[in-house]
Amino acid sequence: MSAPAAAGRRDATATRLAHLLLTRLTLAVAGGLTSVVVARALGPGDRGAYWVIVTVATTAAAMGNLSVEKSQTALWTREDNRPAIAANALWLGLAAGAAAAGVSFFATVLLPGAPADRSALIWGLAAVPVMMAIVYVNNVHVLRARTGVVNRGSLAGAALQCFALVALGIPGWLTVEGVVIIWTLSVVVNLLLLLPSLPVCRPREGRLIARTLSCGLRHHPGYICHFLLLRLDILILNAMSTPAAVGIYSMAVTPAELLRAATATVVQVALPRQMESSRETAAAYTARTIRITAVLAASSIVLFCLAGPFLVVAAAGPAFAGCVVPMLVLAPGVAAAAAAAPAAAYLLRLDLPVRTSLMYGAALLTNLALNALLIPRTGVVGCALASTIAYTALAAAQVSWFARSAGVPLRRLVPGAAEVREIARRVLGLLRAG
């Protein structure tokens, strides 16, 4: 690549990164505001009921999506596959999501601790096909380096959710079902804004569809284990404790997961380079990205631990004071997972789904065992501790596997002054541009 072309690519990447950072920051603020409004309007018990429904819906989407986005990423390395992958994304998501929503409804009503409000549950599951389509379509846009399209859809959905909750929350008109309906409508708006930039046509190349599903299914056990690792704690706590405890824990989880925002931005921008470059180039780029995400994660967790507890309790009210300790316990594990995300993306290139599934499965079993041991003794704090231990162990395994497979010494993954200066330079440039 010539020097001008390389410089142009770096400038384009920097621009995408700046836009994504602004988007993530806006979404974090909107997410914090909606969490506060829901907490104030519903209280711990009803917020817990709402969070269980959202967790059921997102779990249904994860279980039913067949890891198609991972097979899209793996098959994207061949340029002749790309038009058909883009054309198939919407229809595959809607079809698979409809099936997953139907199965999940009947499975949920038979399980202990099922949501009592069936109407709200139906509204929540109605979002499943839309969420799955968003995942597939977003992935196509990211692989095409069209992150601006993804940003606009996410911001529009968040804006609708935020404004609707505030408008109904101020006069006290919010209910569990109303909050779920608003959440579902915000997901629909997100998808609608993604479609004009996507060639929406009938699915084509049936053999590629079959190959996409086959490739995705090979990776799906690992994906399911990873998703359940991140979400099953809510359902376990709901089965072993009270809706109020779930509400407290959901408030602890919400700001902790916002720690991923900064690092997720870098990972999203880096993905095309990781998938389209040679293995050697991708390995070097991934190592550099890990160093940057490590700095961002460390900086975020320091700020979070200093300011987060005071801001959350002041905003949500004294009823949620019990979320402070689990929030602080959960934060290191979330930061470790965020820092290791570039390594996880690189491992897709290796196409070793069985080994990947075993790694995620071991982390999930660790989390389940620790939850069963700790929740009866320490409640929501034990739930947070179990998640932190499992997240950190998984992050260590991902980084170690990447280092071995890429032939990168672990010391090259330790960030230094260069990464700090680069991040500072980017942030200052973003502030000047603003």
Side-chain angles (χ1 to χ4, degrees):
M1 182 181 296
S2 65
R9 185 166 187 172
R10 284 194 300 270
D11 290 341
T13 300
T15 301
R16 292 199 306 273
L17 179 59
H19 290 165
L20 273 171
L21 282 170
L22 285 173
T23 300
R24 296 286 182 179
L25 178 60
T26 305
L27 291 175
V29 172
L33 179 58
T34 56
S35 295
V36 168
V37 171
V38 173
R40 290 277 188 177
L42 300 184
D46 282 347
R47 178 182 166 83
Y50 156 70
W51 203 253
V52 167
I53 291 173
V54 171
T55 302
V56 168
T58 53
T59 301
M63 299 286 283
N65 78 357
L66 308 178
S67 293
V68 165
E69 78 280 9
K70 295 187 182 298
S71 63
Q72 287 175 326
T73 301
L75 295 172
W76 197 262
T77 54
R78 289 193 56 180
E79 192 168 351
D80 55 338
N81 288 335
R82 296 175 188 177
I85 290 173
N88 296 337
L90 174 65
W91 308 111
L92 278 177
L94 294 175
V103 172
S104 296
F105 175 78
F106 291 106
T108 301
V109 297
L110 298 176
L111 293 175
D117 191 340
R118 298 290 173 82
S119 177
L121 176 62
I122 291 172
W123 272 106
L125 290 175
V128 172
V130 184
M131 286 191 293
M132 288 175 57
I134 288 173
V135 171
Y136 298 172
V137 173
N138 269 355
N139 197 50
V140 169
H141 286 313
V142 169
L143 290 168
R144 287 178 162 177
R146 294 179 176 175
T147 51
V149 177
V150 177
N151 294 344
R152 288 192 292 273
S154 300
L155 289 172
L160 171 65
Q161 184 182 26
C162 190
F163 290 144
L165 288 175
V166 170
L168 296 177
I170 290 175
W173 294 344
L174 282 180
T175 63
V176 172
E177 183 177 1
V179 175
V180 174
I181 291 173
I182 292 170
W183 175 69
T184 298
L185 293 177
S186 71
V187 174
V188 173
V189 169
N190 188 343
L191 177 61
L192 291 176
L193 289 183
L194 298 175
L195 299 184
S197 301
L198 186 77
V200 180
C201 56
R202 289 180 300 174
R204 53 182 177 177
E205 295 192 25
R207 281 179 293 183
L208 183 62
I209 295 177
R211 189 179 173 194
T212 301
L213 294 174
S214 175
C215 180
L217 285 171
R218 293 170 59 221
H219 291 276
H220 201 46
Y223 175 80
I224 290 176
C225 290
H226 188 207
F227 181 88
L228 293 178
L229 172 66
L230 301 177
R231 293 291 180 267
L232 199 59
D233 49 0
I234 290 287
L235 300 180
I236 295 173
L237 189 63
N238 183 59
M240 300 181 69
S241 189
T242 64
V246 176
I248 293 292
Y249 186 69
S250 70
M251 199 65 197
V253 169
T254 300
E257 289 193 337
L258 296 178
L259 287 175
R260 297 176 184 169
T263 52
T265 300
V266 178
V267 172
Q268 195 171 13
V269 170
L271 185 61
R273 291 280 297 274
Q274 288 180 294
M275 294 299 115
E276 296 177 4
S277 306
S278 66
R279 180 170 292 190
E280 293 77 13
T281 303
Y285 191 73
T286 301
R288 175 175 173 270
T289 307
I290 289 174
R291 294 194 298 270
I292 292 174
T293 54
V295 173
L296 290 172
S299 304
S300 298
I301 197 172
V302 169
L303 293 174
F304 172 78
C305 290
L306 290 175
F310 304 101
L311 293 176
V312 170
V313 175
F320 288 89
C323 76
V324 172
V325 175
M327 183 191 312
L328 296 176
V329 171
L330 189 62
V334 174
Y346 175 88
L347 295 177
L348 286 174
R349 290 186 64 117
L350 305 183
D351 195 25
L352 295 172
V354 174
R355 186 173 175 181
T356 302
S357 298
L358 291 174
M359 177 178 66
Y360 287 127
L364 175 61
L365 290 175
T366 300
N367 195 17
L368 290 175
L370 290 173
N371 270 306
L373 178 67
L374 296 174
I375 288 177
R377 292 169 173 79
T378 55
V380 293
V381 176
C383 189
L385 180 59
S387 294
T388 283
I389 293 172
Y391 295 170
T392 304
L394 176 61
Q398 289 170 328
V399 171
S400 298
W401 185 6
F402 160 72
R404 288 196 306 272
S405 64
V408 176
L410 287 174
R411 64 178 180 275
R412 285 187 54 194
L413 304 181
V414 178
E419 285 72 35
V420 176
R421 285 195 299 269
E422 179 175 355
I423 293 172
R425 181 170 58 84
R426 297 293 187 192
V427 171
L428 289 173
L430 184 60
L431 292 175
R432 291 193 188 102

